[in-house]
Short mmCIF file of all heavy atoms in Angstrom, two decimals:
data_model
loop_
_atom_site.label_atom_id
_atom_site.label_comp_id
_atom_site.label_asym_id
_atom_site.label_seq_id
_atom_site.Cartn_x
_atom_site.Cartn_y
_atom_site.Cartn_z
N ALA B 96 -39.61 -1.85 16.11
CA ALA B 96 -39.13 -3.15 16.59
C ALA B 96 -40.15 -3.78 17.53
O ALA B 96 -40.40 -4.99 17.50
CB ALA B 96 -37.79 -2.97 17.29
N THR B 97 -40.75 -2.96 18.37
CA THR B 97 -41.73 -3.48 19.32
C THR B 97 -42.95 -4.03 18.58
O THR B 97 -43.45 -5.11 18.87
CB THR B 97 -42.17 -2.37 20.28
OG1 THR B 97 -41.01 -1.85 20.93
CG2 THR B 97 -43.13 -2.90 21.32
N VAL B 98 -43.38 -3.29 17.58
CA VAL B 98 -44.53 -3.75 16.78
C VAL B 98 -44.21 -5.05 16.08
O VAL B 98 -45.04 -5.94 15.92
CB VAL B 98 -44.93 -2.66 15.76
CG1 VAL B 98 -45.95 -3.18 14.79
CG2 VAL B 98 -45.45 -1.43 16.49
N ALA B 99 -42.93 -5.20 15.68
CA ALA B 99 -42.52 -6.42 14.97
C ALA B 99 -42.41 -7.61 15.91
O ALA B 99 -42.11 -8.71 15.47
CB ALA B 99 -41.20 -6.19 14.27
N GLY B 100 -42.56 -7.39 17.21
CA GLY B 100 -42.53 -8.51 18.15
C GLY B 100 -41.16 -8.81 18.69
O GLY B 100 -40.91 -9.92 19.18
N ALA B 101 -40.24 -7.87 18.62
CA ALA B 101 -38.89 -8.10 19.14
C ALA B 101 -38.90 -7.82 20.64
O ALA B 101 -38.74 -6.69 21.07
CB ALA B 101 -37.90 -7.18 18.44
N SER B 102 -39.11 -8.85 21.45
CA SER B 102 -39.25 -8.64 22.88
C SER B 102 -38.01 -9.04 23.67
O SER B 102 -37.78 -8.53 24.76
CB SER B 102 -40.46 -9.42 23.39
OG SER B 102 -40.32 -10.79 23.07
N ALA B 103 -37.22 -9.98 23.16
CA ALA B 103 -36.06 -10.48 23.91
C ALA B 103 -34.86 -9.58 23.65
O ALA B 103 -33.97 -9.91 22.89
CB ALA B 103 -35.75 -11.91 23.50
N LEU B 104 -34.85 -8.42 24.29
CA LEU B 104 -33.77 -7.46 24.09
C LEU B 104 -32.75 -7.60 25.19
O LEU B 104 -33.09 -7.62 26.38
CB LEU B 104 -34.34 -6.03 24.09
CG LEU B 104 -35.41 -5.73 23.04
CD1 LEU B 104 -35.86 -4.28 23.20
CD2 LEU B 104 -34.87 -5.93 21.65
N TRP B 105 -31.47 -7.66 24.79
CA TRP B 105 -30.44 -7.67 25.84
C TRP B 105 -30.09 -6.24 26.21
O TRP B 105 -30.32 -5.31 25.46
CB TRP B 105 -29.21 -8.46 25.38
CG TRP B 105 -28.66 -8.12 24.02
CD1 TRP B 105 -28.96 -8.75 22.85
CD2 TRP B 105 -27.72 -7.10 23.68
NE1 TRP B 105 -28.28 -8.19 21.80
CE2 TRP B 105 -27.50 -7.18 22.29
CE3 TRP B 105 -27.04 -6.13 24.41
CZ2 TRP B 105 -26.63 -6.32 21.62
CZ3 TRP B 105 -26.18 -5.29 23.75
CH2 TRP B 105 -25.98 -5.38 22.37
N SER B 106 -29.52 -6.07 27.36
CA SER B 106 -29.23 -4.74 27.88
C SER B 106 -28.11 -4.09 27.10
O SER B 106 -27.01 -4.64 27.01
CB SER B 106 -28.84 -4.82 29.36
OG SER B 106 -28.31 -3.59 29.80
N LEU B 107 -28.38 -2.94 26.52
CA LEU B 107 -27.36 -2.23 25.76
C LEU B 107 -26.19 -1.84 26.65
O LEU B 107 -25.04 -1.87 26.23
CB LEU B 107 -27.98 -0.98 25.13
CG LEU B 107 -27.05 -0.19 24.22
CD1 LEU B 107 -26.79 -0.95 22.95
CD2 LEU B 107 -27.66 1.17 23.90
N GLU B 108 -26.48 -1.45 27.89
CA GLU B 108 -25.43 -0.99 28.79
C GLU B 108 -24.60 -2.14 29.32
O GLU B 108 -23.38 -2.04 29.46
CB GLU B 108 -26.04 -0.20 29.95
CG GLU B 108 -26.69 1.11 29.53
CD GLU B 108 -25.66 2.09 28.97
OE1 GLU B 108 -24.62 2.28 29.60
OE2 GLU B 108 -25.90 2.64 27.88
N GLU B 109 -25.21 -3.27 29.65
CA GLU B 109 -24.52 -4.34 30.36
C GLU B 109 -24.19 -5.54 29.49
O GLU B 109 -23.44 -6.42 29.90
CB GLU B 109 -25.36 -4.79 31.56
CG GLU B 109 -25.59 -3.66 32.58
CD GLU B 109 -26.44 -4.12 33.74
OE1 GLU B 109 -26.80 -5.32 33.76
OE2 GLU B 109 -26.74 -3.30 34.62
N GLY B 110 -24.72 -5.64 28.31
CA GLY B 110 -24.43 -6.76 27.45
C GLY B 110 -25.35 -7.94 27.68
O GLY B 110 -26.26 -7.92 28.51
N ASP B 111 -25.08 -9.01 26.96
CA ASP B 111 -25.93 -10.19 26.94
C ASP B 111 -25.38 -11.23 27.91
O ASP B 111 -24.29 -11.77 27.71
CB ASP B 111 -25.97 -10.75 25.52
CG ASP B 111 -26.97 -11.88 25.36
OD1 ASP B 111 -27.57 -12.27 26.37
OD2 ASP B 111 -27.14 -12.35 24.22
N GLU B 112 -26.14 -11.55 28.96
CA GLU B 112 -25.69 -12.52 29.95
C GLU B 112 -25.56 -13.91 29.37
O GLU B 112 -24.84 -14.76 29.91
CB GLU B 112 -26.67 -12.55 31.13
CG GLU B 112 -26.55 -11.35 32.05
CD GLU B 112 -25.16 -11.24 32.68
OE1 GLU B 112 -24.54 -12.28 32.96
OE2 GLU B 112 -24.69 -10.10 32.87
N ASP B 113 -26.23 -14.18 28.27
CA ASP B 113 -26.13 -15.51 27.66
C ASP B 113 -24.75 -15.78 27.07
O ASP B 113 -24.45 -16.91 26.67
CB ASP B 113 -27.19 -15.67 26.57
CG ASP B 113 -28.58 -15.84 27.14
OD1 ASP B 113 -28.68 -16.26 28.31
OD2 ASP B 113 -29.56 -15.57 26.42
N CYS B 114 -23.92 -14.73 26.96
CA CYS B 114 -22.55 -14.94 26.48
C CYS B 114 -21.71 -15.72 27.48
O CYS B 114 -20.69 -16.31 27.11
CB CYS B 114 -21.85 -13.59 26.25
SG CYS B 114 -22.44 -12.67 24.82
N PHE B 115 -22.13 -15.72 28.75
CA PHE B 115 -21.26 -16.23 29.80
C PHE B 115 -21.82 -17.53 30.37
O PHE B 115 -23.02 -17.78 30.35
CB PHE B 115 -21.11 -15.18 30.91
CG PHE B 115 -20.71 -13.83 30.39
CD1 PHE B 115 -21.61 -12.78 30.36
CD2 PHE B 115 -19.44 -13.63 29.86
CE1 PHE B 115 -21.26 -11.55 29.85
CE2 PHE B 115 -19.09 -12.41 29.33
CZ PHE B 115 -19.99 -11.37 29.33
N GLY B 116 -20.90 -18.34 30.89
CA GLY B 116 -21.27 -19.59 31.49
C GLY B 116 -20.02 -20.34 31.91
O GLY B 116 -18.98 -20.24 31.26
N GLY B 117 -20.08 -21.07 33.01
CA GLY B 117 -18.91 -21.79 33.48
C GLY B 117 -17.81 -20.83 33.88
O GLY B 117 -18.02 -19.87 34.63
N ASP B 118 -16.60 -21.08 33.37
CA ASP B 118 -15.47 -20.23 33.72
C ASP B 118 -15.45 -18.93 32.93
O ASP B 118 -14.62 -18.06 33.19
CB ASP B 118 -14.16 -20.98 33.48
CG ASP B 118 -13.99 -22.14 34.46
OD1 ASP B 118 -14.44 -21.99 35.60
OD2 ASP B 118 -13.42 -23.17 34.06
N PHE B 119 -16.32 -18.79 31.95
CA PHE B 119 -16.40 -17.56 31.18
C PHE B 119 -17.33 -16.60 31.92
O PHE B 119 -18.56 -16.66 31.77
CB PHE B 119 -16.90 -17.83 29.77
CG PHE B 119 -15.82 -18.31 28.85
CD1 PHE B 119 -15.42 -19.63 28.86
CD2 PHE B 119 -15.16 -17.43 28.00
CE1 PHE B 119 -14.42 -20.07 28.03
CE2 PHE B 119 -14.16 -17.86 27.17
CZ PHE B 119 -13.77 -19.19 27.18
#
Side-chain angles (χ1 to χ4, degrees):
T97 304
V98 171
S102 57
L104 301 179
W105 49 266
S106 169
L107 184 71
E108 293 296 312
E109 298 179 2
D111 187 356
E112 285 299 326
D113 286 338
C114 289
F115 309 108
D118 292 326
F119 278 80

